[in-house]
Amino acid sequence: SQQGEEDPQALSIQEGENATMNCSYKTSINNLQWYRQNSGRGLVHLILIRSNEREKHSGRLRVTLDTSKKSSSLLITASRAADTASYFCATVPGGGFKTIFGAGTRLFVKA
Amino acid sequence: DGGITQSPKYLFRKEGQNVTLSCEQNLNHDAMYWYRQDPGQGLRLIYYSQIVNDFQKGDIAEGYSVSREKKESFPLTVTSAQKNPTAFYLCASSPTGYNSPLHFGNGTRLTVT
């Protein structure tokens, strides 16, 4: 079952621009996580935001969480060509243990 | 240098054959997971294990089997009953606790012809 849905499915921007990806989910959650995947590789954890947090920063990453709207956004500022990858949101439904992933946003940053 | 090792990176099998994918971790994590990823898609959970000698079915367990005899190892067998086994398989681990992020291996790409 897909819990998270990312939007847009694909995003193409110029180096130096900001990239914003959105994630919506269906049930109550313990936390929401964002991961990055380079082509043909495993996923790398970027940031985790708990259900009682509204915003979190890590370097050029900013994540927001709105539990009333069941949505989250990932902002990458001053993007670089090396940020080209797929980005996935993942949730742990409340009371559960499984981490469930969305279909991802493919980001392409042009140099 | 801790991490998760999946082997082999590429695997080719004939239809009707069972095949086992290896996953080993030296992170001392209690929980381990197997996900399947199809082209352009997200990850779907096959099986997960929270502790040695115990595992649970995920969302798409049919045609797959696992074992968890050691903390470090969580092999996945793709059986001939799996109707569409060609995919990218990812193994992950995490410490116990639902606020723990997953650590992933670099995957095994299985092609069945």
Side-chain angles (χ1 to χ4, degrees):
Chain A
S1 59
Q2 293 283 342
Q3 160 79 317
E5 297 290 335
E6 285 94 339
D7 171 56
Q9 290 185 328
L11 181 60
S12 182
I13 59 175
Q14 291 290 140
E15 207 167 29
E17 294 180 340
N18 295 343
T20 299
M21 288 159 265
N22 303 296
C23 170
S24 60
Y25 57 92
K26 297 174 185 172
T27 65
S28 64
I29 58 173
N30 293 319
N31 65 68
L32 187 142
Q33 304 167 42
W34 285 92
Y35 290 79
R36 165 193 169 125
Q37 183 182 35
N38 287 82
S39 181
R41 309 277 289 183
L43 279 70
V44 175
H45 178 257
L46 296 176
I47 197 165
L48 180 152
I49 186 165
R50 300 185 187 208
S51 57
N52 61 352
E53 297 176 311
R54 291 298 167 257
E55 188 170 313
K56 203 161 182 181
H57 297 254
S58 177
R60 293 184 296 113
L61 306 180
R62 173 179 170 253
V63 169
T64 62
L65 178 65
D66 186 335
T67 53
S68 67
K69 294 181 180 177
K70 291 188 171 60
S71 67
S72 172
S73 67
L74 170 67
L75 169 68
I76 303 174
T77 59
S79 63
R80 306 165 182 167
D83 293 329
T84 294
S86 291
Y87 292 83
F88 294 89
C89 72
T91 55
V92 179
F97 182 78
K98 299 186 292 185
T99 302
I100 302 174
F101 288 81
T105 292
R106 295 183 193 178
L107 174 65
F108 181 64
V109 182
K110 293 177 278 188
Chain B
D1 195 18
I4 299 181
T5 302
Q6 290 188 244
S7 60
K9 187 170 177 63
Y10 298 97
L11 193 52
F12 297 89
R13 280 293 183 271
K14 294 289 187 185
E15 197 173 317
Q17 294 179 334
N18 291 356
V19 60
T20 298
L21 282 59
S22 169
C23 177
E24 302 278 330
Q25 55 102 355
N26 61 4
L27 298 167
N28 200 33
H29 286 168
D30 287 312
M32 296 187 76
Y33 311 77
W34 275 105
Y35 287 91
R36 169 185 172 135
Q37 186 178 32
D38 292 286
Q41 310 258 332
L43 280 65
R44 291 185 289 168
L45 183 63
I46 305 172
Y47 268 98
Y48 63 104
S49 168
Q50 297 174 252
I51 198 167
V52 175
N53 292 323
D54 187 42
F55 48 83
Q56 287 79 41
K57 292 181 179 180
D59 300 314
I60 56 164
E62 185 175 348
Y64 299 98
S65 66
V66 293
S67 63
R68 186 86 189 276
E69 296 175 3
K70 299 186 299 182
K71 188 175 185 177
E72 314 81 65
S73 178
F74 192 40
L76 173 74
T77 297
V78 184
T79 75
S80 56
Q82 168 49 233
K83 291 181 171 46
N84 186 18
T86 295
F88 189 48
Y89 290 88
L90 287 158
C91 179
S93 71
S94 72
T96 305
Y98 53 72
N99 276 327
S100 300
L102 302 184
H103 298 251
F104 281 86
N106 277 323
T108 291
R109 189 168 299 280
L110 173 65
T111 302
V112 177
T113 58

